[in-house]
Amino acid sequence: MAEDQPEVHVVDLTGAATDEAVASAQISPLPLALLSIIKTAQAQNGLRHGDYMRYRKHCASRLQSLYKVLRMQHGRTKYQKRKLDIHHITDARHLQVPLFSAERAWAYAMELKKEAEAQGGGAAIDRRKRHHLIGRLSKAVLWASELSRFAAARSDTRGSLEAEAYCCWMSGTLLLERETDWELALAKFTRAKKLWQELAKACPDLEKQSLCLAQVEEMEPNIRYCNYRITRAGGAVPVDPAELLAMTEAGGDAPGLDLLQSKLAALAQEAQMAQAASTSYVSWMRVNHPVRHERVKLALHQAAEFGTQAEQAMNTDESDALDSRLSLYDKAINALAEAKSHVRNAVKGLAGPDAEAQFKELEALEVAVEGLRLQRTVERSEAHLEHTRARFAAGLQRLAVGKKIKDKERHARPEEVVRVCDLLSRHLEDLADLGARLGGRAGEGLHDAAAARAAAVRAIRTYHIAHTLLAAAVAAAPAGDAKNDTSGKALEAWALFNRSQERATAAAEQLRKLPGEDAAAGVLLGGREAMLADLTELVTQAAAYKAVAQAELSAAELKVKEDLLQSGVSGLTLEQQEQAGATSSGATYLLDALNRWESFAGGAAAAAAASGGGAGGATSAKAPPRLYKAPYDYAAIPGRPIMLDTASNCLSYPNLEHRLRKAEKKSVLSSLFGWRR
């Protein structure tokens, strides 16, 4: 029966049709992601909460499925054991047969240990169960040894080293339970730890690296316990790990130290080649950032595809095309945000000796992804702003020729342009803040470019706010309502048009000063000539509409003066003055009746007293106050006499000097002492 086994194995175990398929399969090594397979199975089948029975049943079910798929049924009616050997392995799933067999035996042993500890209550484990436990662990070690042998012959370098580390860990677990050879158990655990650490260093994938480091952390308590037992027994623990690794070489069940070092060197070389082949790069600010995480690669690839499609849809001006283009930009932005979240998750899972270097690399990648996201956001807002301004300009052109704007033509209002300008300014500020956080010459260039673009957007925003006020002033002018303050809105519009001219000129000068060869120019200064032409046109349009606003302001001021003059002239009537004089001629005022006890303040009481108290004072009329009469009554006064002095030059008047008093002559002494008189 043993002689017939090779023929049976070729047909039943592999299912190969020809010997050429077997030969071709033997040439290429088979991949074996051992830790990923067992950790995924353990997490999904009960080991998160210590249910070893469920995991053991899962392993048995998985083995049954593998036997069926790989045509390894052990007979139909009569059991015929079919042993798996190296020359039968043509599929990576063949390596999972000894793996899940070892996992099933290990799970059974852990289940027995858990039951014994629960029943013993801290006492010693039953000898029968302990013997059963050690038997199942021995079976697990046997299957792990078979897996290591198969992987060394048929798997790649990484798979063979993972299988060897798994076999060492399982052997150490068995020796730990037997409690007979602590030195050998420590050597097994140390060898497994060394292998997992080297595998973590040579692993390009962060998820697999975290699995290797987690396995190392799980073995640390076992290593410390072995050291404790060796020290307590009076032995000396080897300080050099090479001595512990050399202890397994003497047993002959594992490769020696030199062979291990050669395998690890080959693994590092393979990892570098695979990393160089699989690593993609994302470029931002003329710097290539490596991307090694698969989820980040996928998200960045989707963002690049959506961005390319959005750029291809740039030439169409229809509203539906704009909506589709904005939708593509939104998808690209969401994909970049997802890539950023994946990078942050990768940063949280960093561990190991190379964590600092990987942290710097991922931090730079996160900044680059955030910059790409903000760049796509700015491009989306610019596309929206360009389309909205075109619609607004079409509406202005239609109004300039005297046509009305219909609702179905969907011309934009200036408020819509202002709202889009606010969004674009906010995104440019975020990009400027990112440049300030980036630092260096590239960061300063990005900050200056974003500030210049933001200044241009502020000029556009001011221009359209002025159009809003100008439209309100024009709409309020025909109504003639004083509450609308037509002159004030026209004046504000004139001032804002003037401000937009100043801002556009300053922004154009700021854009011209920026260098066009740095990294920031490729991000924000792609169409600088078009921007400068747009700002020049904005200055011209603002000057034209400033004249319109000034005309509206002059018309509003003239309208106010005409209204005031009309209201003043319309109130000048002689009849109202005569009637008012007749009404107030019989009234008595306070200054004319100071000796009378009477209320001159007016009001309802004065009106009732004046009417003689009729109707009980129930009248609702109020008398005016009579403190003094203003204006006073006119009275005739004599005028100055008219003197005709035209003939006074021809008259001769008599001499009257003799009637004047003659002055007395005084001496000097009399004038000095005249005060005594």
Side-chain angles (χ1 to χ4, degrees):
M1 182 175 180
E3 297 177 356
D4 298 336
Q5 282 183 355
E7 297 180 358
V8 175
H9 284 164
V10 171
V11 176
D12 293 337
L13 293 180
T14 64
T18 60
D19 295 337
E20 296 179 357
V22 177
S24 62
Q26 291 178 354
I27 296 174
S28 60
L30 301 175
L32 177 62
L34 188 145
L35 269 185
S36 300
I37 294 173
I38 62 175
K39 291 301 181 181
T40 303
Q42 290 176 1
Q44 294 178 355
N45 295 279
L47 283 198
R48 285 187 176 180
H49 46 274
D51 192 354
Y52 292 99
M53 180 183 292
R54 178 183 171 187
Y55 182 58
R56 178 171 63 89
K57 291 181 179 180
H58 166 72
C59 292
S61 176
R62 184 68 179 272
L63 281 172
Q64 187 176 2
S65 301
L66 288 172
Y67 287 149
K68 186 175 181 180
V69 171
L70 298 174
R71 296 185 180 182
M72 292 180 61
Q73 291 91 345
H74 301 281
R76 293 181 177 271
T77 58
K78 185 179 179 180
Y79 177 78
Q80 295 179 358
K81 184 178 181 180
R82 295 175 179 174
K83 186 178 180 180
L84 183 65
D85 206 349
I86 295 176
H87 61 277
H88 300 145
I89 300 175
T90 58
D91 193 347
R93 290 174 293 182
H94 284 107
L95 298 175
Q96 295 184 14
V97 173
L99 176 60
F100 279 101
S101 298
E103 284 291 300
R104 180 178 63 173
W106 173 80
Y108 198 1
M110 294 298 103
E111 180 186 352
L112 292 173
K113 183 178 181 180
K114 187 177 181 180
E115 290 179 358
E117 290 177 353
Q119 293 177 1
I125 301 176
D126 187 11
R127 294 182 60 185
R128 179 175 174 275
K129 288 189 176 181
R130 178 176 173 79
H131 181 73
H132 193 188
L133 184 153
I134 293 176
R136 298 313 302 172
L137 281 179
S138 301
K139 194 72 171 178
V141 171
L142 179 62
W143 282 112
S145 301
E146 289 291 316
L147 174 63
S148 179
R149 185 170 65 90
F150 294 158
R154 297 307 314 275
S155 183
D156 53 3
T157 306
R158 182 174 185 82
S160 63
L161 289 178
E162 285 193 14
E164 182 182 349
Y166 180 75
C167 180
C168 291
W169 172 75
M170 194 67 74
S171 301
T173 304
L174 174 61
L175 293 172
L176 189 67
E177 291 295 333
R178 284 181 176 175
E179 300 181 356
T180 55
D181 194 348
W182 298 108
E183 290 82 2
L184 186 58
L186 179 60
K188 293 288 186 181
F189 282 129
T190 305
R191 188 182 183 90
K193 177 182 177 181
K194 177 67 175 178
L195 288 171
W196 291 127
Q197 287 177 347
E198 295 298 329
L199 286 170
K201 292 180 182 179
C203 183
D205 192 356
L206 297 178
E207 294 181 357
K208 294 181 180 179
Q209 183 180 1
S210 62
L211 290 176
C212 296
L213 296 176
Q215 193 71 15
V216 171
E217 292 180 0
E218 288 181 4
M219 285 189 295
E220 286 294 337
N222 297 335
I223 294 175
R224 290 197 300 268
Y225 184 69
C226 291
N227 289 330
Y228 166 74
R229 293 304 297 261
I230 292 172
T231 306
R232 187 175 180 182
V237 179
V239 180
D240 190 5
E243 298 181 9
L244 293 172
L245 295 176
M247 292 178 65
T248 58
E249 184 179 358
D253 57 346
L257 184 60
D258 297 337
L259 183 58
L260 177 61
Q261 294 296 335
S262 63
K263 282 189 175 183
L264 291 175
L267 176 63
Q269 186 177 3
E270 290 181 2
Q272 290 178 359
M273 294 176 62
Q275 183 176 356
S278 61
T279 301
S280 60
Y281 294 89
V282 57
S283 178
W284 187 67
M285 297 284 291
R286 297 180 183 176
V287 178
N288 293 327
H289 301 273
V291 183
R292 296 183 174 88
H293 202 277
E294 294 298 331
R295 294 183 178 178
V296 179
K297 289 181 185 179
L298 180 60
L300 291 176
H301 180 68
Q302 292 177 353
E305 287 185 352
F306 289 135
T308 304
Q309 294 176 7
E311 292 174 358
Q312 291 176 356
M314 186 184 300
N315 298 327
T316 56
D317 297 333
E318 299 178 359
S319 59
D320 296 337
L322 175 70
D323 295 338
S324 62
R325 185 183 176 192
L326 295 181
S327 177
L328 290 172
Y329 273 123
D330 291 335
K331 291 179 181 179
I333 293 168
N334 293 334
L336 290 170
E338 183 180 358
K340 182 181 176 181
S341 66
H342 289 323
V343 173
R344 287 184 175 179
N345 294 334
V347 171
K348 293 178 182 178
L350 287 178
D354 299 335
E356 184 176 358
Q358 294 177 3
F359 175 77
K360 293 181 179 179
E361 179 181 321
L362 290 175
E363 186 179 12
L365 178 61
E366 182 182 357
V367 173
V369 173
E370 177 65 14
L372 287 173
R373 187 186 68 84
L374 290 175
Q375 183 179 351
R376 288 298 183 189
T377 307
V378 169
E379 291 176 0
R380 180 193 183 280
S381 299
E382 286 179 347
H384 195 188
L385 178 62
E386 182 181 359
H387 185 266
T388 310
R389 289 183 64 191
R391 289 168 49 205
F392 174 70
L396 284 182
Q397 187 176 5
R398 188 175 181 86
L399 288 175
V401 296
K403 297 181 180 179
K404 294 183 178 180
I405 298 177
K406 299 180 181 179
D407 296 336
K408 63 180 181 180
E409 292 178 352
R410 298 181 61 184
H411 291 298
R413 296 180 299 174
E415 293 87 350
E416 299 180 17
V417 184
V418 171
R419 185 168 58 252
V420 180
C421 288
D422 291 337
L423 292 175
L424 182 55
S425 299
R426 192 178 304 117
H427 299 324
L428 288 171
E429 289 176 0
D430 294 340
L431 199 56
D433 294 340
L434 182 63
R437 188 178 66 179
L438 187 63
R441 184 175 298 178
E444 292 179 1
L446 180 62
H447 182 273
D448 295 341
R453 292 292 303 276
V457 173
R458 284 194 294 270
I460 297 173
R461 180 180 182 273
T462 307
Y463 173 77
H464 288 87
I465 291 176
H467 268 292
T468 303
L469 295 173
L470 181 60
V474 172
D481 191 0
K483 296 181 180 180
N484 289 328
D485 193 11
T486 305
S487 61
K489 292 180 179 179
L491 180 60
E492 291 180 6
W494 183 89
L496 288 176
F497 279 125
N498 190 21
R499 178 65 62 84
S500 66
Q501 280 184 300
E502 296 174 357
R503 287 185 172 180
T505 305
E509 186 66 23
Q510 194 173 357
L511 284 172
R512 290 190 186 96
K513 291 181 179 180
L514 292 176
E517 296 82 11
D518 58 351
V523 177
L524 291 175
L525 302 179
R528 178 158 53 177
E529 298 300 329
M531 291 183 226
L532 293 175
D534 189 13
L535 290 175
T536 304
E537 181 66 21
L538 181 66
V539 171
T540 305
Q541 294 292 331
Y545 282 101
K546 185 169 70 172
V548 175
Q550 188 173 2
E552 290 291 336
L553 177 62
S554 302
E557 292 178 353
L558 183 60
K559 179 67 175 176
V560 170
K561 291 180 180 179
E562 290 179 355
D563 293 342
L564 290 176
L565 181 60
Q566 184 178 2
S567 61
V569 172
S570 62
L572 296 177
T573 57
L574 297 175
E575 297 179 356
Q576 293 180 357
Q577 291 182 358
E578 293 177 356
Q579 186 177 359
T583 303
S584 60
S585 60
T588 304
Y589 292 91
L590 176 62
L591 296 178
D592 299 331
L594 295 176
N595 57 348
R596 294 174 56 181
W597 188 261
E598 183 179 350
S599 176
F600 296 92
S611 60
T619 177
S620 60
K622 294 182 180 180
R626 294 178 290 112
L627 300 178
Y628 64 92
K629 185 178 181 181
Y632 296 103
D633 293 335
Y634 293 102
I637 60 174
R640 294 180 61 185
I642 298 174
M643 181 178 180
L644 299 177
D645 54 354
T646 56
S648 61
N649 296 328
C650 301
L651 296 178
S652 59
Y653 297 98
N655 189 7
L656 300 178
E657 291 182 357
H658 61 280
R659 293 187 179 184
L660 298 178
R661 183 179 178 180
K662 295 182 180 180
E664 297 180 359
K665 294 182 179 180
K666 296 181 180 180
S667 64
V668 177
L669 294 177
S670 62
S671 62
L672 289 176
F673 299 100
W675 56 274
R676 291 186 176 184
R677 296 178 182 178

